[in-house]
Amino acid sequence: MLKIGDKKLINAWAFYDWANSVYSLVISTAVFPIYYAGLTASEGFANAEGKITFFGTLWNPTTLYNFALAFSFLVVAFLSPMLSGIADYSGNKKKFLKGFCLLGSLSVMCLFFFTGKETLWVGIVFSILASIGFWGSIVFYNAYLPEVAHPKQQDNASAKGFMLGYFGSILLLILCLVLIETEVFGMYDKQFGSQLSFVLVGLWWLGFAQITYAKLPDSEKVILPKDNYFTKGIKEIKKVAKELFAYRELKIFLISFFLLSIGVQTIILMAGIFGTILGLETLNLIGTILIVQFVGILGAFLFSRLSNKIGNIKTLKITIAIWGLVCFIGFNLTKETTNIELYFYVLGGLIGLVMGAIQSLARSTYSKLLPKTEDTASYFSFFDVTEKIALVIGMVTFGVLNSIISIQSSVLSLAIFFLAAFIMISQMKKTKHVR
């Protein structure tokens, strides 16, 4: 059994990012949002006003997609504290990780059957289930970080995970683009190529996750069969909540993380649809997303090293400021903007520079702030619930403003959350828990 700090253990843990990041890129950001936007805007799908029918109600396609994802985040926010409490009590973190991974990967493959107006329910339902599977698995994956790496290793370990994720997702996205654009010598059309890419994502995710499973340790906790897991799990969460709110720095960080997550995750999820609304061609959008991924590798590496020199808090403040700049650039982009493609590429480069950086630093900073504990899943469930509730608020805010004003106003509104996050994190002085 590998011990904490062992490079093989850290590499195996980080490899789950390689496995699951294809969902983040291909399904959340690149191919599926563009596929969904194109399909729902096609002739015969939307009415004259551009609205579509879902369960007898007319929807703006973007708003429907936003609300569907927001619902999935609410489900994860509701389930993960209870399940993580049970996992900590019973020692079943790995089983929960496997279960959510299986749900997510199979749901992604089922998106193959979303082909038109009649199967819109397939696209929406399995988008929700895939999202629940992905974000649910992340709760238990993140909870392993304090168990695989010592505090001084955690910034680099977290960054390594995101870097591996970027490399892996780029490789699969390129393969998906080959399937979509070349149409394999006329054997099928681009739509079918997109459908095949959804199947590939599910197989990649589930297949490479086995490497992580083989090395991650099982908990040493042993529980008698007569114990009520659900009741004990709830008690575990209550105990951790009481401990968590006794630490000043931890509370401040979670509030700041909540505010910045509203902006970060909403931008990541809506970037593809934003570009489609601006009138960019699919290849330009995919090109921008590839720029984001390549620059993201560099950003995660550079900012993890910068944090070693100037500290996590100062480094996070720099990334938050850059995210605010992203919002102002996005607000000023319209269909009429000259050289819109060039500006969108620049925007993608800025997003890439700070996307992996802020995510990996947030994860490792939170891990450093934790007191010594065996209840890592319960503690990280609060971290992930904070992010999911932020996602719900971000997606709903974005969808509502897009419906009543414009998508540009939706982008600008996110800058307010970044400003509030910057102010809040400025109250922190160090990455140590202070009771």
Side-chain angles (χ1 to χ4, degrees), residues 204-243:
W204 178 291
W205 182 3
L206 186 60
F208 282 114
Q210 308 307 313
I211 295 173
T212 299
Y213 300 158
K215 300 292 185 182
L216 284 184
D218 292 307
S219 174
E220 296 179 0
K221 291 187 178 182
V222 179
I223 303 300
L224 298 175
K226 65 180 181 180
D227 286 336
N228 184 324
Y229 281 5
F230 182 80
T231 303
K232 296 295 184 182
I234 296 298
K235 288 181 178 179
E236 193 82 13
I237 280 293
K238 288 181 178 178
K239 183 190 79 172
V240 168
K242 185 177 180 181
E243 292 175 357

Side-chain angles (χ1 to χ4, degrees), residues 8 10 27 52 61 105 137 142 168 170 185 190 218 226 232 248 251 254 256 269 276 312 333 345 384 388 434:
K8 291 182 179 179
I10 292 174
I27 304 301
I52 60 177
S105 57
S137 72
N142 286 343
I170 286 170
F185 307 109
K190 290 184 179 181
D218 292 307
K226 65 180 181 180
K232 296 295 184 182
R248 176 185 178 275
K251 284 190 294 185
L254 278 177
S256 178
L269 291 171
T276 301
N312 290 48
L333 295 182
Y345 289 149
D384 287 279
K388 300 311 160 293
V434 180

Side-chain angles (χ1 to χ4, degrees), residues 88 91 146 153 171 206 215 249 287 299 310 313 338 364 383 385 390-391 397 399:
D88 275 334
Q153 299 173 304
L171 289 177
L206 186 60
K215 300 292 185 182
E249 304 298 312
I310 67 173
I313 304 305
T338 305
S364 61
F383 179 79
V385 166
L391 276 165
T397 301

Side-chain angles (χ1 to χ4, degrees), residues 18 22 25-26 164-178 200 204 208 290 293-294:
W18 170 284
V22 294
L25 180 58
V26 179
L164 282 172
Y166 289 139
F167 273 120
S169 55
I170 286 170
L171 289 177
L172 188 63
L173 178 59
I174 291 172
L175 177 57
C176 291
L177 289 179
V178 170
L200 279 179
W204 178 291
F208 282 114
L290 283 172
Q293 300 301 302
F294 279 116

